[in-house]
Every structure is written in C-alpha cells, then in structure tokens.
Amino acid sequence: MYSELKSQNFEIISVAQDTGGVKDAGQWIEAAKPEYTVLIDTQHLVTRLYDMVNVPTAVWINEQGRIVRPNEVAYVDNRFKPLHRLEAEEYLAALRDWVAKGEKSTFALSESELKQRLAPQNPDWALAAAEFGLAEYLYRQGQSAASIKHYKEAQRLNPENWNYKRQAWALTDAEREYGTNFTKEVQKLNGKPYYAPRRLPDKK
Amino acid sequence: MKNWMYALLRGLCLVCSVQAVETKRAVVIYEDKASEVQAYTSLSTKPDDLWITLADLKRATGFVNKPQGVCRAELCFPLPKKRRTEFLQTQSKTTWFNLTEFARLLKQPVARDDERAAWYFGPRPEVQNSFTKSLAAPNFTLPDMNGKQHSLRQFRGKKVLLLTWASW
C-alpha cells in the first residue's frame, strides 16, 4: 500500500507501543523490512498524547499537521481478521480516497465533526495515564514486582484501555500476577469487539 | 526519632539556629523526567503531600518561585494569597514547596508509590486536551530501530497515516 501511495505526497509513521523497545519490537520490524518510518515508543507516549486505548489505532494527519480522522481501529491487512472480523480493504479504500482527494474526500472529517469526536480526557483516564507512567518507570528501574500495583490501578481507572492491560500482562506471568490473560478477556466479551467500532461512511 | 520527642525538642529549642529536619530521598517524575529530590513529608496536615526545596523544584520541574507566582518561562501560576502556607513554608532557613498542592491547583494527575517514594506528575489538562480544540496533531520525537530521532513535525507538507502497533 505504501509503495503505491508514497508518490502522492503520503507517508506512514508506524509507532511500536512497546516497553521492551527494540528487544520486543525489533524482530517484527526486521521481518517486515518496511520502507516507511517505524519508530519505537518505549514510554507509550503516542498512546498518551492522542488518548488512544488500543492497537492498531490510526490517525490521519493532513499537510498542515491537522487531524483529519482521529483515533480509530486500523487494520491495514487481514492477518488477524479471524479475531476482529474487520475487512482491511474497506479501510485501505478510504485511505486511498483521502490521499487522492484530500479534504474533498468523503472520509476527511469536517472541523465540526472532528470537534464532536474529540472530547477532553476524562479525569479518571488522566489519572490512569499517570499510574501507567509510574508503573512503566518502576519497571524500567528493575522494580517489576512494585510496578504491578500501578499497572492494576491504571487498568481499573481506565478499563477501556487495552494497551494498559496487554502491555502489563506481556511483561510478566499474567495468570499469576493478574489472574487473567488476553485470550480469557476476549472470551469474556462473548463476541463483542474489544475496540471501538470503525465509523466509515458508505462509499459515494 | 519518635514524633513526640521531636515535637518536645522543637518546643525546647525555639531559638536554636540549626534545627534537625526529617527528610527523605524521593523520586519525582515530572513531564517524563526523573529527578532525585529531598522530600519533607511531615510539613502539612495532609500526610501524603510532597514538599521539596526550591532548588529541587527548579531542577526537577523547571518552575521558580517568584513574587508574581510559580513560573517557568512565560508561564506563571499565581498562588492563592490566603492559602500561601499550603504551598510554601520555611523551616530553619530552608523554604519548602508543596509540589502535590501545586499539582492540585493545576489539576495535574498524580500517582505515587509510598514504598519507593516515587511521584509521577502527568500533564496539565489544558496541555493534554489542547489538540481537541486546535485539531493540531500533537507532536512527538521518537527513535527508529537504529536510534535515529524523528519528529512528526518533520513530515509537515505531506499527508500522514500515524499508525500504532505493538509486539504483545
């Protein structure tokens, strides 16, 4: 997709939300050998700045650095389709349309639509981000056991955030420390998707 | 030292020039920067408060106490006049600043770990939420696999798909 669109003044910035950094994310990058920019975000900074709750999440940004579509689930291939049942092609078609037509694309949101979708952060979520930040600090200091209490508090304060859960579970024996794991939590949802649904308009 | 002994000694020693102050080492993580500070926790009625010296305040947060308020570059937050002692107290020539009360004033989220005396201060809501009004994509600078830094800002003039993922 990138090789097709890059000649049209378009860039992909792919950011790994990985506390383990290159150690964890590196093998995926080496296997994919992407032409586009791949960055390593060990402190989950992009998640915090954009108030994201899951991966993969995408934001469309125009030539002036303005948001055109805010946070939404963005599968750009069908590797995990059995799990999330989202067709990548619909998303890619929307992206191609925007790259070609810019603000005139049906998928580029107007300012008033954007302002409706972008709400100020819930104070509990702000506190959750602080607890997660403290947990990450303690973990980096080698205080893995001490970090768990704060990961749990972040998860409690912002139960919608899957990054807080999945990153914390991945750093330890999730069953032992958290009494759960990703598969179990997805099963609990009983078919309900574990991300906010996409809101793409019908094609014109 | 037991608290009552300390209180007794302080009572007896009103004119002492040097007064023992019970402090401990703490870590402040402010805007993602971690600094070791000297903490004085028994100064206020709120036992969870974190008091630090003005030197540590400047080193850890960049803020400086000025007559017009607590300031950093063009940013200045006046302290409520009637509540001044909730923010500033002087003990044996050292002025202590209540960083947690300041965070409450600024509505900053705070997380703390008592055992490790670590305090994390998150962004002020107006900083966190500014993009929801301006619609400007928040800038960040992060390294690629080879350690080279890239900023979102450098991509100005192009359409960008910002996409997060993770190995977990």
Side-chain angles (χ1 to χ4, degrees):
Chain A
M1 192 239 325
Y2 178 63
S3 47
E4 170 201 331
L5 296 176
K6 68 177 174 184
S7 62
Q8 299 179 54
N9 215 27
F10 170 73
E11 286 292 334
I12 296 176
I13 306 175
S14 160
V15 191
Q17 303 295 291
D18 264 295
T19 304
V22 175
K23 178 172 65 69
D24 290 343
Q27 50 179 323
W28 296 88
I29 303 169
E30 273 169 358
K33 288 196 179 46
E35 287 178 77
Y36 49 82
T37 308
V38 182
L39 306 178
I40 316 270
D41 185 1
T42 55
Q43 301 199 40
H44 302 248
L45 177 64
V46 173
T47 290
R48 189 180 79 204
L49 286 175
Y50 289 79
D51 208 14
M52 292 174 175
V53 295
N54 214 336
V55 294
T57 296
V59 179
W60 297 5
I61 301 166
N62 74 8
E63 293 87 337
Q64 289 77 46
R66 205 205 77 183
I67 295 172
V68 171
R69 289 187 74 81
N71 298 352
E72 69 190 332
V73 58
Y75 286 100
V76 292
D77 60 46
N78 285 328
R79 263 183 303 170
F80 301 105
K81 196 178 169 188
L83 201 60
H84 55 69
R85 299 193 294 273
L86 276 175
E87 175 53 51
E89 195 44 50
E90 288 169 21
Y91 188 74
L92 295 178
L95 192 61
R96 281 192 200 96
D97 191 75
W98 171 58
V99 172
K101 299 182 198 155
E103 310 295 287
K104 293 197 180 80
S105 164
T106 21
F107 303 102
L109 298 180
S110 70
E111 283 203 18
S112 59
E113 284 174 302
L114 279 166
K115 284 183 178 166
Q116 265 179 11
R117 290 198 191 187
L118 289 169
Q121 191 176 45
N122 165 337
D124 273 350
W125 287 25
L127 214 46
E131 290 287 348
F132 185 77
L134 180 57
E136 291 275 299
Y137 169 79
L138 292 170
Y139 182 82
R140 281 196 302 277
Q141 298 299 306
Q143 313 245 22
S144 175
S147 70
I148 289 168
K149 183 169 88 178
H150 301 286
Y151 281 125
K152 283 185 178 169
E153 188 59 5
Q155 294 166 358
R156 186 187 70 79
L157 288 162
N158 184 352
E160 285 180 46
N161 192 312
W162 285 89
N163 292 15
Y164 295 167
K165 296 177 192 176
R166 296 185 66 190
Q167 177 64 83
W169 297 337
L171 295 174
T172 183
D173 181 338
E175 290 277 358
R176 194 187 64 213
E177 302 293 350
Y178 296 89
T180 189
N181 61 40
F182 183 47
T183 315
K184 279 188 181 173
E185 291 295 311
V186 171
Q187 279 166 357
K188 265 192 223 167
L189 292 172
N190 205 10
K192 191 175 156 246
Y194 59 96
Y195 43 78
R198 223 161 41 183
R199 285 187 284 171
L200 292 178
D202 292 332
K203 271 167 247 157
K204 272 188 184 166
Chain B
M1 197 187 301
K2 291 262 193 312
N3 278 345
W4 65 267
M5 276 176 71
Y6 184 61
L8 185 68
L9 279 175
R10 270 183 65 178
L12 290 170
C13 194
L14 283 171
V15 287
C16 290
S17 56
V18 182
Q19 204 177 48
V21 167
E22 277 192 71
T23 65
K24 63 176 180 181
R25 190 190 60 81
V27 176
V28 165
I29 305 133
Y30 206 91
E31 285 158 6
D32 297 318
K33 189 183 102 175
S35 312
E36 259 197 31
V37 299
Q38 215 189 340
Y40 191 169
T41 50
S42 49
L43 254 177
S44 61
T45 48
K46 294 171 190 156
D48 300 334
D49 280 1
L50 175 69
W51 294 78
I52 62 175
T53 65
L54 294 176
D56 278 345
L57 175 69
K58 189 179 179 191
R59 202 167 47 82
T61 73
F63 280 103
V64 177
N65 181 37
K66 292 184 174 176
Q68 66 269 38
V70 181
C71 307
R72 185 172 67 185
E74 64 274 22
L75 204 60
C76 243
F77 299 100
L79 300 178
K81 280 203 180 76
K82 285 181 185 160
R83 296 174 46 212
R84 210 176 155 73
T85 54
E86 292 174 40
F87 294 88
L88 287 160
Q89 291 215 14
T90 302
Q91 294 274 321
S92 50
K93 290 182 186 166
T94 303
T95 301
W96 297 86
F97 182 76
N98 187 339
L99 193 58
T100 30
E101 194 60 34
F102 189 55
R104 281 181 208 115
L105 183 73
L106 271 43
K107 299 188 166 61
Q108 269 180 294
V110 181
R112 69 170 206 279
D113 189 284
D114 289 335
E115 282 165 59
R116 276 139 207 97
W119 304 73
Y120 182 102
F121 295 83
R124 286 177 282 122
E126 67 268 30
V127 173
Q128 173 67 41
N129 294 323
S130 70
F131 78 98
T132 65
K133 292 199 185 86
S134 71
L135 307 178
N139 188 52
F140 53 84
T141 303
L142 291 168
D144 64 22
M145 241 183 92
N146 304 312
K148 190 185 167 209
Q149 300 285 329
H150 303 258
S151 292
L152 175 65
R153 208 180 271 132
Q154 294 163 350
F155 294 82
R156 205 57 63 82
K158 292 187 169 191
K159 291 191 182 79
V160 171
L161 175 72
L162 171 64
L163 182 64
T164 62
W165 61 284
S167 68
W168 29 260

